[in-house]
Short mmCIF file of all heavy atoms in Angstrom, two decimals:
data_model
loop_
_atom_site.label_atom_id
_atom_site.label_comp_id
_atom_site.label_asym_id
_atom_site.label_seq_id
_atom_site.Cartn_x
_atom_site.Cartn_y
_atom_site.Cartn_z
N MET A 1 0.85 -1.19 0.00
CA MET A 1 0.00 0.00 0.00
C MET A 1 0.88 1.23 0.00
O MET A 1 1.76 1.39 0.83
CB MET A 1 -0.90 -0.03 1.23
CG MET A 1 -1.95 1.06 1.24
SD MET A 1 -3.18 0.74 2.51
CE MET A 1 -2.61 1.81 3.80
N ALA A 2 0.64 2.10 -0.96
CA ALA A 2 1.45 3.31 -1.07
C ALA A 2 0.75 4.28 -2.01
O ALA A 2 -0.26 3.93 -2.61
CB ALA A 2 2.83 2.98 -1.63
N TYR A 3 1.29 5.47 -2.07
CA TYR A 3 0.79 6.43 -3.04
C TYR A 3 1.72 6.42 -4.24
O TYR A 3 2.90 6.07 -4.13
CB TYR A 3 0.74 7.84 -2.43
CG TYR A 3 -0.55 8.13 -1.69
CD1 TYR A 3 -0.91 7.39 -0.56
CD2 TYR A 3 -1.42 9.12 -2.12
CE1 TYR A 3 -2.10 7.63 0.11
CE2 TYR A 3 -2.61 9.38 -1.44
CZ TYR A 3 -2.94 8.63 -0.34
OH TYR A 3 -4.13 8.87 0.33
N ILE A 4 1.16 6.76 -5.39
CA ILE A 4 1.98 6.90 -6.59
C ILE A 4 1.69 8.29 -7.18
O ILE A 4 0.65 8.88 -6.92
CB ILE A 4 1.67 5.82 -7.65
CG1 ILE A 4 0.19 5.87 -8.05
CG2 ILE A 4 2.04 4.44 -7.14
CD1 ILE A 4 -0.11 5.03 -9.29
N ILE A 5 2.61 8.80 -7.97
CA ILE A 5 2.43 10.10 -8.61
C ILE A 5 2.19 9.89 -10.10
O ILE A 5 2.98 9.27 -10.79
CB ILE A 5 3.66 11.01 -8.37
CG1 ILE A 5 3.74 11.36 -6.87
CG2 ILE A 5 3.57 12.28 -9.22
CD1 ILE A 5 4.96 12.15 -6.46
N THR A 6 1.05 10.39 -10.56
CA THR A 6 0.67 10.21 -11.97
C THR A 6 1.39 11.22 -12.86
O THR A 6 2.06 12.14 -12.39
CB THR A 6 -0.84 10.38 -12.15
OG1 THR A 6 -1.17 11.76 -11.90
CG2 THR A 6 -1.62 9.49 -11.18
N ASP A 7 1.16 11.08 -14.16
CA ASP A 7 1.79 11.98 -15.14
C ASP A 7 1.25 13.40 -15.07
O ASP A 7 1.75 14.29 -15.77
CB ASP A 7 1.61 11.43 -16.55
CG ASP A 7 2.44 10.18 -16.79
OD1 ASP A 7 3.35 9.91 -15.98
OD2 ASP A 7 2.19 9.48 -17.79
N GLU A 8 0.23 13.62 -14.24
CA GLU A 8 -0.29 15.00 -14.06
C GLU A 8 0.74 15.89 -13.36
O GLU A 8 0.64 17.11 -13.41
CB GLU A 8 -1.56 14.97 -13.21
CG GLU A 8 -2.71 14.17 -13.81
CD GLU A 8 -3.11 14.69 -15.18
OE1 GLU A 8 -3.38 15.89 -15.28
OE2 GLU A 8 -3.12 13.88 -16.13
N CYS A 9 1.71 15.29 -12.71
CA CYS A 9 2.74 16.03 -11.95
C CYS A 9 3.43 17.08 -12.79
O CYS A 9 3.87 16.81 -13.91
CB CYS A 9 3.77 15.05 -11.40
SG CYS A 9 5.16 15.83 -10.55
N ILE A 10 3.52 18.31 -12.24
CA ILE A 10 4.21 19.41 -12.93
C ILE A 10 5.55 19.72 -12.27
O ILE A 10 6.14 20.78 -12.50
CB ILE A 10 3.32 20.67 -12.96
CG1 ILE A 10 2.92 21.11 -11.53
CG2 ILE A 10 2.08 20.44 -13.82
CD1 ILE A 10 2.18 22.46 -11.46
N SER A 11 6.04 18.78 -11.45
CA SER A 11 7.36 18.89 -10.81
C SER A 11 7.56 20.18 -10.03
O SER A 11 8.64 20.78 -10.07
CB SER A 11 8.47 18.74 -11.87
OG SER A 11 8.46 17.45 -12.43
N CYS A 12 6.53 20.57 -9.26
CA CYS A 12 6.66 21.80 -8.46
C CYS A 12 7.47 21.56 -7.19
O CYS A 12 8.02 22.50 -6.62
CB CYS A 12 5.28 22.34 -8.12
SG CYS A 12 4.39 21.35 -6.89
N GLY A 13 7.52 20.31 -6.74
CA GLY A 13 8.31 19.99 -5.55
C GLY A 13 7.61 20.18 -4.21
O GLY A 13 8.18 19.86 -3.17
N ALA A 14 6.39 20.67 -4.21
CA ALA A 14 5.69 20.94 -2.96
C ALA A 14 5.51 19.69 -2.10
O ALA A 14 5.69 19.73 -0.88
CB ALA A 14 4.33 21.56 -3.26
N CYS A 15 5.17 18.58 -2.71
CA CYS A 15 4.92 17.36 -1.96
C CYS A 15 6.18 16.83 -1.28
O CYS A 15 6.13 16.33 -0.16
CB CYS A 15 4.35 16.28 -2.87
SG CYS A 15 5.40 15.87 -4.28
N ALA A 16 7.31 16.95 -1.97
CA ALA A 16 8.57 16.40 -1.44
C ALA A 16 8.94 17.03 -0.11
O ALA A 16 9.39 16.35 0.81
CB ALA A 16 9.69 16.58 -2.45
N SER A 17 8.72 18.34 0.02
CA SER A 17 9.09 19.00 1.26
C SER A 17 8.09 18.75 2.38
O SER A 17 8.40 18.97 3.54
CB SER A 17 9.28 20.51 1.01
OG SER A 17 8.15 21.07 0.42
N GLU A 18 6.89 18.29 2.04
CA GLU A 18 5.87 18.03 3.06
C GLU A 18 5.82 16.57 3.52
O GLU A 18 5.27 16.27 4.58
CB GLU A 18 4.49 18.42 2.52
CG GLU A 18 4.32 19.91 2.26
CD GLU A 18 4.43 20.75 3.53
OE1 GLU A 18 3.96 20.30 4.58
OE2 GLU A 18 5.02 21.83 3.46
N CYS A 19 6.37 15.66 2.76
CA CYS A 19 6.30 14.23 3.11
C CYS A 19 7.03 13.96 4.43
O CYS A 19 8.21 14.27 4.57
CB CYS A 19 6.93 13.39 2.00
SG CYS A 19 6.95 11.62 2.39
N PRO A 20 6.33 13.37 5.42
CA PRO A 20 6.93 13.16 6.75
C PRO A 20 8.07 12.15 6.77
O PRO A 20 8.87 12.15 7.71
CB PRO A 20 5.74 12.68 7.59
CG PRO A 20 4.81 12.08 6.61
CD PRO A 20 4.93 12.92 5.37
N VAL A 21 8.13 11.30 5.76
CA VAL A 21 9.22 10.32 5.73
C VAL A 21 10.19 10.58 4.57
O VAL A 21 11.04 9.74 4.26
CB VAL A 21 8.68 8.87 5.68
CG1 VAL A 21 7.92 8.54 6.96
CG2 VAL A 21 7.79 8.65 4.47
N SER A 22 10.05 11.74 3.94
CA SER A 22 10.96 12.16 2.86
C SER A 22 11.19 11.09 1.81
O SER A 22 12.33 10.83 1.41
CB SER A 22 12.30 12.60 3.46
OG SER A 22 12.12 13.65 4.37
N CYS A 23 10.09 10.48 1.34
CA CYS A 23 10.25 9.41 0.35
C CYS A 23 9.89 9.86 -1.06
O CYS A 23 9.74 9.03 -1.96
CB CYS A 23 9.44 8.18 0.75
SG CYS A 23 7.65 8.39 0.67
N ILE A 24 9.76 11.20 -1.27
CA ILE A 24 9.46 11.72 -2.61
C ILE A 24 10.69 12.43 -3.17
O ILE A 24 11.25 13.30 -2.51
CB ILE A 24 8.27 12.69 -2.58
CG1 ILE A 24 7.07 12.05 -1.87
CG2 ILE A 24 7.88 13.10 -4.01
CD1 ILE A 24 5.89 13.01 -1.69
N THR A 25 11.09 12.05 -4.37
CA THR A 25 12.26 12.67 -5.00
C THR A 25 11.94 13.06 -6.44
O THR A 25 11.01 12.54 -7.05
CB THR A 25 13.47 11.70 -5.00
OG1 THR A 25 13.07 10.48 -5.61
CG2 THR A 25 13.96 11.44 -3.58
N GLU A 26 12.74 13.95 -6.98
CA GLU A 26 12.53 14.39 -8.36
C GLU A 26 12.98 13.30 -9.31
O GLU A 26 14.09 12.78 -9.20
CB GLU A 26 13.29 15.69 -8.64
CG GLU A 26 12.96 16.26 -10.01
CD GLU A 26 13.50 17.68 -10.18
OE1 GLU A 26 14.30 18.12 -9.33
OE2 GLU A 26 13.12 18.33 -11.18
N GLY A 27 12.10 12.95 -10.25
CA GLY A 27 12.44 11.93 -11.22
C GLY A 27 12.51 12.53 -12.62
O GLY A 27 12.60 13.74 -12.78
N ASP A 28 12.42 11.68 -13.61
CA ASP A 28 12.51 12.11 -15.00
C ASP A 28 11.15 12.63 -15.49
O ASP A 28 10.30 11.84 -15.86
CB ASP A 28 12.99 10.93 -15.85
CG ASP A 28 13.22 11.33 -17.30
OD1 ASP A 28 13.30 12.54 -17.58
OD2 ASP A 28 13.32 10.43 -18.15
N GLY A 29 10.96 13.93 -15.45
CA GLY A 29 9.72 14.52 -15.92
C GLY A 29 8.62 14.63 -14.88
O GLY A 29 7.61 15.30 -15.11
N LYS A 30 8.78 13.96 -13.76
CA LYS A 30 7.81 14.06 -12.66
C LYS A 30 8.48 13.60 -11.38
O LYS A 30 9.56 13.00 -11.42
CB LYS A 30 6.57 13.22 -12.95
CG LYS A 30 6.82 11.71 -12.98
CD LYS A 30 5.51 10.92 -13.14
CE LYS A 30 5.76 9.44 -13.06
NZ LYS A 30 4.51 8.65 -13.11
N TYR A 31 7.83 13.86 -10.25
CA TYR A 31 8.36 13.39 -8.98
C TYR A 31 7.91 11.95 -8.75
O TYR A 31 6.89 11.51 -9.30
CB TYR A 31 7.89 14.30 -7.85
CG TYR A 31 8.82 15.49 -7.64
CD1 TYR A 31 9.07 16.38 -8.69
CD2 TYR A 31 9.45 15.71 -6.43
CE1 TYR A 31 9.93 17.45 -8.51
CE2 TYR A 31 10.32 16.79 -6.25
CZ TYR A 31 10.55 17.66 -7.29
OH TYR A 31 11.42 18.71 -7.12
N VAL A 32 8.69 11.21 -7.97
CA VAL A 32 8.39 9.81 -7.74
C VAL A 32 8.41 9.48 -6.25
O VAL A 32 9.12 10.11 -5.46
CB VAL A 32 9.39 8.88 -8.48
CG1 VAL A 32 9.21 9.00 -9.98
CG2 VAL A 32 10.82 9.19 -8.08
N ILE A 33 7.60 8.50 -5.85
CA ILE A 33 7.49 8.06 -4.46
C ILE A 33 8.15 6.70 -4.29
O ILE A 33 7.92 5.79 -5.07
CB ILE A 33 6.00 7.97 -4.05
CG1 ILE A 33 5.37 9.37 -4.03
CG2 ILE A 33 5.85 7.29 -2.68
CD1 ILE A 33 3.85 9.37 -3.86
N ASP A 34 8.96 6.58 -3.24
CA ASP A 34 9.55 5.29 -2.89
C ASP A 34 8.47 4.49 -2.16
O ASP A 34 8.15 4.74 -1.00
CB ASP A 34 10.76 5.51 -1.98
CG ASP A 34 11.38 4.19 -1.51
OD1 ASP A 34 10.82 3.11 -1.78
OD2 ASP A 34 12.45 4.25 -0.86
N ALA A 35 7.87 3.54 -2.86
CA ALA A 35 6.74 2.78 -2.33
C ALA A 35 7.08 2.02 -1.05
O ALA A 35 6.22 1.81 -0.19
CB ALA A 35 6.21 1.81 -3.38
N ASP A 36 8.31 1.60 -0.90
CA ASP A 36 8.71 0.85 0.29
C ASP A 36 8.76 1.73 1.53
O ASP A 36 8.62 1.25 2.65
CB ASP A 36 10.08 0.20 0.07
CG ASP A 36 10.03 -0.91 -0.97
OD1 ASP A 36 8.96 -1.53 -1.12
OD2 ASP A 36 11.07 -1.16 -1.62
N ALA A 37 8.95 3.04 1.33
CA ALA A 37 9.06 3.96 2.47
C ALA A 37 7.75 4.69 2.76
O ALA A 37 7.51 5.12 3.89
CB ALA A 37 10.17 4.97 2.21
N CYS A 38 6.89 4.83 1.76
CA CYS A 38 5.63 5.57 1.91
C CYS A 38 4.74 4.94 2.98
O CYS A 38 4.53 3.74 2.99
CB CYS A 38 4.91 5.58 0.57
SG CYS A 38 3.28 6.36 0.61
N ILE A 39 4.21 5.78 3.88
CA ILE A 39 3.32 5.31 4.94
C ILE A 39 1.85 5.65 4.64
O ILE A 39 0.99 5.56 5.51
CB ILE A 39 3.73 5.88 6.31
CG1 ILE A 39 3.73 7.42 6.29
CG2 ILE A 39 5.11 5.36 6.73
CD1 ILE A 39 3.94 8.07 7.67
N SER A 40 1.59 6.07 3.39
CA SER A 40 0.22 6.34 2.93
C SER A 40 -0.53 7.34 3.81
O SER A 40 -1.71 7.17 4.08
CB SER A 40 -0.58 5.04 2.82
OG SER A 40 0.00 4.20 1.83
N CYS A 41 0.17 8.41 4.21
CA CYS A 41 -0.48 9.40 5.07
C CYS A 41 -1.40 10.34 4.30
O CYS A 41 -2.27 10.97 4.87
CB CYS A 41 0.59 10.22 5.80
SG CYS A 41 1.55 11.29 4.70
N GLY A 42 -1.16 10.46 2.98
CA GLY A 42 -2.01 11.31 2.15
C GLY A 42 -1.62 12.77 2.09
O GLY A 42 -2.28 13.57 1.40
N THR A 43 -0.56 13.14 2.79
CA THR A 43 -0.13 14.55 2.81
C THR A 43 0.23 15.06 1.42
O THR A 43 -0.12 16.18 1.05
CB THR A 43 1.07 14.73 3.74
OG1 THR A 43 0.71 14.32 5.05
CG2 THR A 43 1.54 16.19 3.78
N CYS A 44 0.88 14.23 0.63
CA CYS A 44 1.27 14.64 -0.72
C CYS A 44 0.04 14.95 -1.56
O CYS A 44 0.00 15.94 -2.30
CB CYS A 44 2.13 13.58 -1.39
SG CYS A 44 1.42 11.92 -1.36
N ALA A 45 -1.00 14.12 -1.42
CA ALA A 45 -2.22 14.32 -2.19
C ALA A 45 -2.91 15.63 -1.82
O ALA A 45 -3.42 16.35 -2.68
CB ALA A 45 -3.17 13.14 -1.98
N SER A 46 -2.91 15.95 -0.52
CA SER A 46 -3.58 17.18 -0.09
C SER A 46 -2.74 18.41 -0.36
O SER A 46 -3.26 19.53 -0.39
CB SER A 46 -3.97 17.09 1.38
OG SER A 46 -2.86 16.83 2.19
N THR A 47 -1.44 18.23 -0.58
CA THR A 47 -0.53 19.34 -0.86
C THR A 47 -0.47 19.67 -2.34
O THR A 47 -0.35 20.83 -2.73
CB THR A 47 0.89 19.00 -0.37
OG1 THR A 47 0.86 18.74 1.02
CG2 THR A 47 1.87 20.14 -0.67
N CYS A 48 -0.57 18.66 -3.17
CA CYS A 48 -0.38 18.84 -4.62
C CYS A 48 -1.43 19.75 -5.26
O CYS A 48 -2.63 19.53 -5.08
CB CYS A 48 -0.40 17.47 -5.29
SG CYS A 48 -0.15 17.56 -7.07
N PRO A 49 -0.99 20.75 -6.05
CA PRO A 49 -1.92 21.65 -6.72
C PRO A 49 -2.68 21.04 -7.89
O PRO A 49 -3.68 21.59 -8.34
CB PRO A 49 -1.02 22.80 -7.19
CG PRO A 49 0.31 22.16 -7.39
CD PRO A 49 0.42 21.13 -6.29
N VAL A 50 -2.21 19.90 -8.39
CA VAL A 50 -2.86 19.29 -9.56
C VAL A 50 -3.41 17.88 -9.30
O VAL A 50 -3.84 17.20 -10.23
CB VAL A 50 -1.90 19.26 -10.77
CG1 VAL A 50 -1.54 20.68 -11.21
CG2 VAL A 50 -0.64 18.46 -10.47
N GLY A 51 -3.37 17.44 -8.04
CA GLY A 51 -3.94 16.13 -7.71
C GLY A 51 -3.20 14.94 -8.29
O GLY A 51 -3.81 13.90 -8.55
N ALA A 52 -1.89 15.08 -8.46
CA ALA A 52 -1.13 14.00 -9.08
C ALA A 52 -0.91 12.78 -8.19
O ALA A 52 -0.92 11.66 -8.69
CB ALA A 52 0.21 14.54 -9.59
N PRO A 53 -0.70 12.93 -6.88
CA PRO A 53 -0.49 11.73 -6.05
C PRO A 53 -1.82 11.03 -5.77
O PRO A 53 -2.80 11.67 -5.37
CB PRO A 53 0.08 12.30 -4.74
CG PRO A 53 0.52 13.69 -5.05
CD PRO A 53 -0.45 14.15 -6.10
N VAL A 54 -1.86 9.72 -6.01
CA VAL A 54 -3.07 8.95 -5.77
C VAL A 54 -2.72 7.66 -5.05
O VAL A 54 -1.62 7.13 -5.20
CB VAL A 54 -3.82 8.61 -7.08
CG1 VAL A 54 -4.33 9.89 -7.75
CG2 VAL A 54 -2.93 7.84 -8.03
N SER A 55 -3.66 7.15 -4.25
CA SER A 55 -3.45 5.89 -3.56
C SER A 55 -3.54 4.75 -4.57
O SER A 55 -4.39 4.77 -5.45
CB SER A 55 -4.51 5.71 -2.48
OG SER A 55 -4.40 4.42 -1.92
N ASN A 56 -2.68 3.77 -4.44
CA ASN A 56 -2.73 2.63 -5.38
C ASN A 56 -3.39 1.42 -4.73
O ASN A 56 -3.21 0.29 -5.18
CB ASN A 56 -1.32 2.28 -5.89
CG ASN A 56 -0.45 1.61 -4.83
OD1 ASN A 56 -0.79 1.61 -3.65
ND2 ASN A 56 0.68 1.07 -5.23
N ASP A 57 -4.15 1.67 -3.66
CA ASP A 57 -4.86 0.57 -3.00
C ASP A 57 -5.71 -0.21 -4.00
O ASP A 57 -6.42 0.37 -4.79
CB ASP A 57 -5.79 1.11 -1.91
CG ASP A 57 -5.01 1.57 -0.70
OD1 ASP A 57 -3.79 1.37 -0.69
OD2 ASP A 57 -5.64 2.13 0.21
FE1 LIG B 1 4.95 10.73 1.74
FE2 LIG B 1 2.58 10.45 2.90
FE3 LIG B 1 2.71 10.95 0.29
FE4 LIG B 1 3.48 8.57 1.21
S1 LIG B 1 1.37 9.41 1.28
S2 LIG B 1 4.57 9.83 -0.29
S3 LIG B 1 4.36 9.11 3.20
S4 LIG B 1 3.36 12.33 1.93
FE1 LIG B 2 4.23 16.86 -8.68
FE2 LIG B 2 2.11 17.49 -7.20
FE3 LIG B 2 4.41 16.81 -6.03
FE4 LIG B 2 4.18 19.14 -7.28
S1 LIG B 2 3.08 18.53 -5.43
S2 LIG B 2 5.92 17.70 -7.44
S3 LIG B 2 2.84 18.60 -9.01
S4 LIG B 2 3.11 15.49 -7.31
#
């Protein structure tokens, strides 16, 4: 169980600085979440201006 970042991501970086376990990093064209570290808190989803992070439950 983790969140993933869809292609809607505009690489603003807002989610990365808000993630409590710092598992979001800048990737190729979008930010990416380390699924093994993500605790599914939902903070990235509520922070993102374009709704790119979604739960993969
Ligand atoms: Fe980080 Fe929480 Fe988003 Fe997982 S759901 S990437 S722990 S902010
Ligand atoms: Fe991408 Fe949203 Fe994170 Fe910004 S807050 S880097 S748009 S996922």
Side-chain angles (χ1 to χ4, degrees):
M1 188 167 99
Y3 273 63
I4 58 168
I5 293 175
T6 67
D7 290 345
E8 299 302 306
C9 175
I10 57 173
S11 295
C12 72
C15 58
S17 54
E18 295 297 322
C19 178
V21 295
S22 301
C23 69
I24 308 175
T25 54
E26 187 169 11
D28 185 16
K30 66 175 184 176
Y31 273 58
V32 293
I33 293 171
D34 177 354
D36 292 332
C38 176
I39 58 172
S40 296
C41 68
T43 300
C44 51
S46 57
T47 301
C48 181
V50 296
V54 295
S55 173
N56 72 348
D57 286 355

